[in-house]
Amino acid sequence: MKKVGLALLGLGVVGSGTYKILVKNREYIKNYYGVDIEVMHVLEKDVSKAEALGIDKKIVSTDINNVIKNPDISIVAEFFGGIEPARSFLIASLKAGKSVVTSNKEMFAKNWGELETAAKEGNAGLYFEASCVGGVPIIRTLQESMQGNNVLSIMGIFNGTTNYILSNMADKGLEYADVLKEAQRLGYAEANPSADVDGFDSMYKLSILSTLAFHKKVPLDKIYREGISKINKKDIEFGKEFGFTLKLLAIGKRVNGKIEARVHPSFIENNHPLATVKGSFNAVMIVGDNVGDIMLYGRGAGDLPTGSAIVSDIIYCAKQTEHSLTVFDGAKDADFTDDFESKYYIRMSVADKSGVLAKITGVFGKYDVSIDAMQQKQSGDAASVIFFSHKNSEKNVMRAISEIKSLAEVKDVDAVIRVVD
Ligand code: HSE
């Protein structure tokens, strides 16, 4: 039986979940996978967290040297979150020949190249299944199950907090701020929710997943990002009237040999597979040129779901005789599109008098923005006008909107939401 020494860096929610799975499944893992995984050291300030899990406090410390200098530890699983000290501790571990398992998407997305270099130097492995969409096994699907395809697109709901907020706004008819408060009370949203609601978390995951999908580096600064904090319940309701559901989508696509990567609120038709993904659930759709559509669905956060992805990486890593680190070998930076095409939902408040619509549609025409449908909703002496456009260049739509905002008859352009097929 292969014995494998493991260190856990941090015993927060996911670290504790991982430990619980390893203890509960130890015999099963020995029997079916032929490895005996033993937690040999834990880095954690709060010893009571270790004691609550039945971990002997003799193996708990705050000194990374207790991990790096222990020759019996071959795998380091990191649960700190944030950039430092996670980054430095993992680089030191890799250089010392210890393989790394991490769920830390921000640190990973920002330092992937440096981590790979350190792993090569130490002849160690680098595993990150839990970094994207928690318990949903998307990383190894892309790395190992899609070789018979060119991936044409990867798109999904990569963030549970925002999906919980948008689902509740839609189902209960509540405003964003009220649902956010409730989500914070229930522990679905952080006290500072920016990483989730402003789309950063989805962007980190999209960078990692589209790099794997397209075999090209997709850096964060090439991803368009827009969050959900300006979403008004009115738009969710109007969307419903037209048969649309609102989701925060992360989208990576190959378009004429270039890569397009974006995160933004999106209307999708109610019969779109992603429209059925509700609450804090996540889902990823991949389109391969040979297999066609694939969809993976599951929990993107939580102690046991994310722990399950971490344990899968630990076992996978423990069974390798040689680690493969191929992502950046020969992978040049991608060419990126500098514009993209989308359909749009545009709501504006306008003076309700003759000639206003002609002026607005004149501006759309000037920028070659083609309108599919329009509806007016009355409120007092102003009117809300909703336009649905055909597929148009984003740049042209934004130019048109900027000019429309300057028209005296237009009080404001209240919402611009992309409509995704
Ligand atoms: N905060 C994330 C979410 C989970 O809400 O989906 C971890 O990435």
Side-chain angles (χ1 to χ4, degrees):
M1 175 80 54
K2 186 174 179 185
K3 280 223 162 231
V4 176
L6 173 70
L8 305 179
L9 310 192
L11 274 186
V13 172
V14 179
S16 301
T18 299
Y19 184 78
K20 284 182 203 158
I21 297 173
L22 287 171
V23 170
K24 186 176 73 175
N25 288 7
R26 188 163 181 180
E27 289 307 309
Y28 166 83
I29 292 168
K30 283 196 320 203
N31 291 339
Y32 289 96
Y33 302 108
V35 285
D36 184 18
I37 294 159
E38 187 185 344
V39 174
M40 304 194 81
H41 203 81
V42 174
L43 282 201
E44 175 56 60
K45 280 195 286 244
D46 183 353
V47 178
S48 70
K49 283 188 184 165
E51 285 176 327
L53 291 165
I55 298 172
D56 186 342
K57 65 179 178 202
K58 283 202 229 104
I59 65 161
V60 183
S61 79
T62 54
D63 185 356
I64 188 66
N65 286 314
N66 289 328
V67 174
I68 290 170
K69 299 214 166 117
N70 184 339
D72 295 328
I73 292 174
S74 58
I75 305 179
V76 175
E78 182 266 322
F79 308 98
F80 288 154
I83 306 293
E84 290 295 354
R87 180 191 144 277
S88 316
F89 285 8
L90 294 188
I91 285 179
S93 302
L94 288 163
K95 286 186 176 170
K98 300 182 190 309
S99 292
V100 155
V101 172
T102 183
S103 61
N104 189 333
K105 71 251 8 160
E106 178 180 4
M107 186 278 303
F108 193 81
K110 290 180 176 169
N111 299 284
W112 189 349
E114 194 186 7
L115 290 160
E116 287 248 340
T117 304
K120 275 184 195 150
E121 196 180 317
N123 199 20
L126 182 57
Y127 297 90
F128 47 98
E129 180 63 73
S131 67
C132 295
V133 219
V136 178
I138 179 63
I139 300 282
R140 260 193 294 286
T141 297
L142 288 169
Q143 285 176 324
E144 301 201 339
S145 309
M146 294 298 288
Q147 291 96 330
N149 294 271
N150 278 306
V151 176
L152 305 177
S153 69
I154 180 156
M155 165 162 99
I157 295 165
F158 294 177
N159 183 271
T161 305
T162 46
N163 204 44
Y164 174 89
I165 293 172
L166 294 175
S167 301
N168 275 272
M169 286 174 75
D171 293 346
K172 299 180 183 162
L174 296 172
E175 283 294 3
Y176 168 80
D178 298 326
V179 183
L180 173 61
K181 250 188 241 147
E182 177 71 353
Q184 284 169 320
R185 196 182 63 76
L186 293 170
Y188 285 118
E190 306 279 342
N192 177 354
S194 174
D196 293 315
V197 301
D198 294 328
F200 290 101
D201 179 78
S202 295
M203 177 183 69
Y204 301 139
K205 293 168 183 167
L206 181 62
S207 165
I208 297 168
L209 293 181
S210 49
T211 295
L212 290 177
F214 305 129
H215 306 291
K216 300 273 186 199
K217 284 184 242 175
V218 180
L220 299 172
D221 63 2
K222 297 292 180 188
I223 300 178
Y224 172 81
R225 176 187 55 80
E226 185 182 316
I228 64 162
S229 59
K230 296 204 178 80
I231 296 293
N232 190 307
K233 75 172 184 182
K234 238 187 219 177
D235 295 303
I236 294 185
E237 278 158 17
F238 289 153
K240 263 189 200 169
E241 285 178 29
F242 293 95
F244 291 113
T245 302
L246 189 69
K247 296 291 183 191
L248 181 69
L249 293 189
I251 301 169
K253 274 188 190 175
R254 279 184 211 267
V255 182
N256 301 326
K258 294 192 177 180
I259 305 235
E260 180 181 307
R262 45 196 166 104
V263 172
H264 53 68
S266 310
F267 273 131
I268 49 178
E269 285 188 12
N270 290 338
N271 62 4
H272 190 291
L274 291 172
T276 61
V277 179
K278 296 230 174 191
S280 61
F281 276 88
N282 289 196
V284 189
M285 286 186 78
I286 313 168
V287 183
D289 59 350
N290 291 313
V291 70
D293 292 4
I294 294 175
M295 180 154 146
L296 298 178
Y297 167 89
R299 289 210 176 274
D303 58 349
L304 299 180
T306 310
S308 99
I310 294 274
V311 170
S312 139
D313 266 357
I314 292 169
I315 296 170
Y316 187 91
C317 173
K319 290 186 69 68
Q320 301 305 302
T321 46
E322 204 175 323
H323 303 286
S324 82
L325 296 162
T326 55
V327 174
F328 290 105
D329 283 346
K332 298 202 177 64
D333 281 342
D335 270 344
F336 293 90
T337 53
D338 61 356
D339 192 10
F340 58 85
E341 288 210 324
S342 180
K343 297 179 185 172
Y344 295 80
Y345 159 102
I346 303 159
R347 174 169 66 85
M348 49 188 96
S349 309
V350 302
D352 192 11
K353 57 184 191 191
S354 63
V356 174
L357 284 180
K359 280 200 177 160
I360 294 169
T361 51
V363 178
F364 280 134
K366 178 174 160 191
Y367 290 97
D368 209 20
V369 173
S370 159
I371 298 299
D372 180 31
M374 194 232 62
Q375 195 175 97
Q376 180 164 331
K377 305 219 169 245
Q378 198 60 34
S379 89
D381 58 355
S384 268
V385 186
I386 295 165
F387 293 93
F388 281 93
S389 84
H390 287 297
K391 253 189 192 158
N392 289 289
S393 132
E394 162 98 0
K395 279 190 173 162
N396 283 352
V397 170
M398 294 305 157
R399 283 183 193 120
I401 285 171
S402 153
E403 191 165 322
I404 287 167
K405 277 184 177 168
S406 69
L407 296 175
E409 297 85 348
V410 174
K411 256 176 68 193
D412 209 352
V413 176
D414 306 294
V416 179
I417 298 175
R418 296 161 191 90
V419 179
V420 173
D421 294 324

